[in-house]
Amino acid sequence: MERPAWAPPGIDISVPSVSRIYDYYLGGSHNFEVDREAARKAMEFMPGLPKIMQANRAFMRRAVRYAVGEGVTQFLDIGSGIPTFGNVHEVAQAASPEARVVYVDHDPVAVAHSAAVLEGNANAGVVAADLRKPQDILTAPETGALLDLDRPVALLLVAVLHFVQDTDEPHRALAELRDALAPGSLLVLTHASYEGVPLPQERVSGTVGVYNDIRSPLVMRGRDEVARFFDGFELVEPGLVAMPEWRPENPIDQEDPYAFSGFAGVGRKA
């Protein structure tokens, strides 16, 4: 298997990565054949997966603009993946040039590519860390240099919690992060679910099986389970909804049915 020049040394390019599969769904170029193969298998069951990812990114951009409009100009994006056009720092800094962004991911390809994209951007940086170890994120030098945790921060957990199993205690991790944030901070979250998917559950389970096979289990949680992640935050209007329904900027009656899969919401810490 030929190794791309941009692949960081030491990366096993024979093992699929969730962030690189996501990059493929979005039409990116920082993925390997093993990632594309896994993505194509998943799409055999759910051909609308790219539409879901596009809706996810569109929600994220609206939520970032909302945060800046609320006076929140610090962003901590955990599970950020591989930067693509219109990522958090671009949206936030277009709305507020002084906006500061810290990206966090445990995929070395995502971290290396983020560092390359952010070179020369004094108000954005990247941390190699895992959501399941919040203190590694909070105490990272890049976090301390860029974010003032005594002021409100927008914490982004976009399409990441459904890759954290209950045995890894996602609520504990999120509580640690929440408790480190100042009042007025925001939680921006999306989560996969069987709810809203325009397919029978047994068909969707085929896609879940593909992720299980690559040892990145996909945890499909129901609405009430997803709402629990907002403990300690007050959901802002319109609450926990399908991604296109969260403060749409255009009519949503022509949206692809797949875009309504799963949930999205923004909460504010009192």
Side-chain angles (χ1 to χ4, degrees):
M1 187 183 300
E2 187 174 349
R3 187 179 195 86
W6 51 262
I11 297 301
D12 185 350
I13 64 174
S14 68
V15 177
S17 152
V18 164
S19 63
R20 298 193 303 265
I21 292 171
Y22 189 88
D23 178 67
Y24 174 75
Y25 290 143
L26 290 173
S29 58
H30 284 77
N31 48 76
F32 306 137
E33 179 54 33
V34 67
D35 306 308
R36 296 188 285 273
E37 181 181 353
R40 288 191 290 265
K41 284 182 180 176
M43 289 170 63
E44 288 177 11
F45 299 98
M46 289 181 65
L49 279 168
K51 292 292 184 183
I52 297 174
M53 306 314 164
Q54 291 163 19
N56 195 74
R57 295 308 288 263
F59 159 78
M60 177 273 288
R61 293 174 188 130
R62 296 195 304 276
V64 167
R65 287 191 288 267
Y66 168 80
V68 174
E70 293 292 301
V72 179
T73 57
Q74 302 188 104
F75 297 85
L76 179 59
D77 184 0
I78 301 178
S80 52
I82 295 168
T84 56
F85 176 75
N87 210 3
V88 174
H89 71 283
E90 293 175 326
V91 178
Q93 291 174 355
S96 175
E98 73 271 16
R100 293 173 173 260
V101 179
V102 173
Y103 291 114
V104 180
D105 209 286
H106 63 74
D107 182 338
V109 171
V111 173
H113 191 51
S114 297
V117 167
L118 298 174
E119 189 172 356
N121 189 330
N123 285 345
V126 60
V127 173
D130 193 310
L131 168 60
R132 292 168 291 191
K133 297 180 179 179
Q135 291 306 314
D136 290 353
I137 298 169
L138 295 168
T139 60
E142 297 87 350
T143 304
L146 285 166
L147 303 182
D148 178 0
L149 297 183
D150 292 326
R151 294 175 46 239
V153 172
L155 169 62
L156 280 72
L157 297 175
V158 176
V160 63
L161 283 167
H162 47 237
F163 290 112
V164 183
Q165 299 179 76
D166 291 339
T167 52
D168 287 323
E169 302 182 288
H171 293 282
R172 174 199 54 79
L174 183 45
E176 283 190 45
L177 292 165
R178 179 198 65 216
D179 292 347
L181 301 179
S185 292
L186 301 173
L187 171 61
V188 177
L189 182 152
T190 65
H191 200 293
S193 177
Y194 288 114
E195 298 177 42
V197 184
L199 290 172
Q201 182 169 324
E202 56 268 22
R203 181 80 179 271
V204 181
S205 295
T207 289
V208 174
V210 172
Y211 281 92
N212 290 340
D213 289 344
I214 65 170
R215 285 177 267 181
S216 296
L218 186 57
V219 186
M220 306 291 271
R221 296 186 173 98
R223 182 191 180 87
D224 290 346
E225 293 175 290
V226 176
R228 276 192 60 210
F229 288 119
F230 286 94
D231 287 353
F233 295 89
E234 181 179 351
L235 279 163
V236 304
E237 290 294 333
L240 189 61
V241 295
M243 292 178 287
E245 295 172 347
W246 198 88
R247 298 178 180 248
E249 295 169 349
N250 300 297
I252 64 174
D253 54 345
Q254 299 300 312
E255 281 279 5
D256 189 284
Y258 276 98
F260 294 86
S261 305
F263 296 103
V266 175
R268 179 181 286 107
K269 181 177 175 179

